[in-house]
Amino acid sequence: YATIPGSVGGAIRGNAGAFGRETKDALIRARVFDGKEERWLANDECGFAYRDSIFKKDRDPTTGHNQYIILEGEFRLEKGDEKEGTKYMREILSKKAATQTLESPSAGCVFANVEFVPGTYDLKDPKRGNPTDAFKREVPKAMIDRGVVGAGWMIDNLGFKGKTMGGAKVSEKHGNFLINAGHAKATDFVMLISFLKQQVRDQFGIQLQEEIQLVGF
């Protein structure tokens, strides 16, 4: 997971991952505080899904706050050759540098990719929308066969690379990266996010969902 920013607790909460691997693939269990006591939750108790977990959804009904605070994670790591591991990490870093805007301030990918039933135009979550004919014409068959369509591809396809609002800008390199082009305010990013969601919904019939969490909005 080289270059994925954040903490161990954040990685568990968001089931962080890249290039087909996720935190859940290595996590054995997580030690949490539920407001009353500390306890361990096994991997299958964490409710992991694509960029999701029980920690993002389970809230105290009285306060509305997250019910769990993640204190610790226990992982099972694969044994391997140090040189091969270093080589692989450098390959990942090189690939990211070529395709993602790592040189500018950003929160990484803003939107979660959209999952389909592989080989069909049926969204795994029907609440995410109903793909339009324009989407079906444009989307690469390889994405549909794999069952995952990148949010960045949709934003790029609609021509919004370089789109700015205030100091917030869609990266010229990767449509799912929103960067600070200079003294951006949080409201600039929120407005740009809202604009992109509306455009993708109107033209492709798909409701994008943030992979990041907005605080205070």
Side-chain angles (χ1 to χ4, degrees):
Y1 299 142
T3 77
I4 295 181
S7 63
V8 170
I12 294 172
R13 181 180 184 275
N15 191 23
F19 301 105
R21 300 294 298 275
E22 299 175 307
T23 300
K24 71 176 180 61
D25 299 330
L27 184 77
I28 298 173
R29 59 180 183 165
R31 186 166 65 91
V32 304
F33 177 65
D34 64 7
K36 297 179 180 178
E37 61 180 2
E38 294 181 14
R39 59 193 177 103
W40 288 93
L41 293 180
N43 184 301
D44 60 3
E45 296 178 286
C46 294
F48 287 122
Y50 173 65
R51 302 296 182 268
D52 199 8
S53 73
I54 191 175
F55 307 112
K56 294 183 75 172
K57 297 178 290 191
D58 199 345
R59 296 181 178 273
D60 185 294
T62 303
T63 65
H65 297 157
N66 290 334
Q67 184 171 342
Y68 297 108
I69 297 174
I70 301 170
L71 304 174
E72 182 180 358
E74 182 179 336
F75 295 86
R76 179 183 293 106
L77 304 180
E78 299 177 7
K79 290 184 178 180
D81 180 78
E82 181 180 351
K83 290 183 179 179
E84 287 298 315
T86 300
K87 178 183 176 184
Y88 177 68
M89 184 174 70
R90 286 174 176 166
E91 289 173 353
I92 293 296
L93 289 171
S94 178
K95 184 174 181 178
K96 285 194 170 190
T99 60
Q100 300 177 2
T101 309
L102 304 181
E103 66 275 10
S104 300
S106 78
C109 287
V110 171
F111 300 107
N113 293 330
V114 182
E115 294 185 297
F116 289 77
V117 177
T120 76
Y121 296 108
D122 298 329
L123 288 157
K124 280 193 174 181
D125 180 358
K127 292 183 292 185
R128 296 289 297 274
N130 185 25
T132 63
D133 290 339
F135 174 83
K136 295 175 182 179
R137 286 195 306 269
E138 297 291 333
V139 66
K141 183 176 183 297
M143 289 186 181
I144 292 299
D145 289 343
R146 191 170 66 247
V148 177
V149 176
W153 173 84
M154 287 185 272
I155 293 168
D156 184 18
N157 184 273
L158 294 176
F160 292 123
K161 279 185 177 178
K163 172 70 177 179
T164 61
M165 283 195 173
K169 178 181 179 180
V170 179
S171 165
E172 300 276 7
K173 191 183 290 186
H174 193 304
N176 202 9
F177 272 63
L178 305 188
I179 64 174
N180 187 339
H183 306 292
K185 298 179 180 179
T187 50
D188 296 337
F189 284 98
V190 170
M191 290 175 62
L192 185 53
I193 287 170
S194 178
F195 170 82
L196 294 171
K197 290 173 71 172
Q198 179 184 359
Q199 293 298 314
V200 171
R201 182 174 62 249
D202 290 349
Q203 300 188 54
F204 282 157
I206 294 173
Q207 180 67 44
L208 292 178
Q209 293 180 344
E210 291 91 329
E211 186 171 298
I212 61 173
Q213 181 176 354
L214 302 178
V215 178
F217 292 91

